[in-house]
Amino acid sequence: SLLFGNAGPMSMLLPRYLSAAISKRLRQYGIEVEDRTMTRYISMDTPLDMSSNLVKHNDGEVRPAQLQIYTVKSYDHLESKRVLADLLVLAPSVDGVHGTAVLPTSTT
């Protein structure tokens, strides 16, 4: 899945038709493109054992831990969705030469 807060990939820099063409091409390759989507919070589906990537789930099956990404649409906060993912790459928007993006971190 590819989540965008804007109308599409690079929609702030490209004309609408090019951004739409990029989204269409990504969908053709099987990538789920979610436009106008904001991430509310991220959690693990089960507690992670740091000694192993494999965890025992509620159904008794042992498989890799996954992230749960909870999202809402930017135009309707009641339209929410949960996405399961193995990997998360967070690339916040950057304004200006030096940028203004801030990533909150937890040291615990």
Side-chain angles (χ1 to χ4, degrees):
S1 293
L2 206 48
L3 308 175
F4 294 98
N6 297 325
M10 298 180 63
S11 63
M12 300 296 284
L13 301 173
L14 298 176
R16 185 178 298 175
Y17 72 94
L18 284 178
S19 181
I22 292 171
S23 293
K24 183 178 179 182
R25 181 65 56 98
L26 290 170
R27 287 184 179 109
Q28 287 175 346
Y29 286 112
I31 298 171
E32 183 180 340
V33 178
E34 295 284 339
D35 58 352
R36 294 181 175 89
T37 301
M38 300 184 308
T39 301
R40 296 293 274 178
Y41 61 94
I42 302 166
S43 68
M44 295 293 294
D45 61 347
T46 56
L48 180 62
D49 177 11
M50 297 306 285
S51 63
S52 170
N53 187 32
L54 298 177
V55 294
K56 188 173 186 178
H57 293 263
N58 293 336
D59 58 6
E61 190 175 329
V62 176
R63 58 182 183 267
Q66 289 187 312
L67 294 170
Q68 294 179 354
I69 305 168
Y70 294 85
T71 65
V72 294
K73 290 294 188 180
S74 60
Y75 54 84
D76 183 4
H77 287 216
L78 295 177
E79 187 177 336
S80 61
K81 184 177 179 181
R82 181 183 70 160
V83 178
L84 293 176
D86 297 322
L87 175 69
L88 174 69
V89 177
L90 181 63
S93 296
V94 177
D95 294 333
V97 178
H98 300 290
T100 60
V102 176
L103 297 177
T105 57
S106 175
T107 58
T108 59

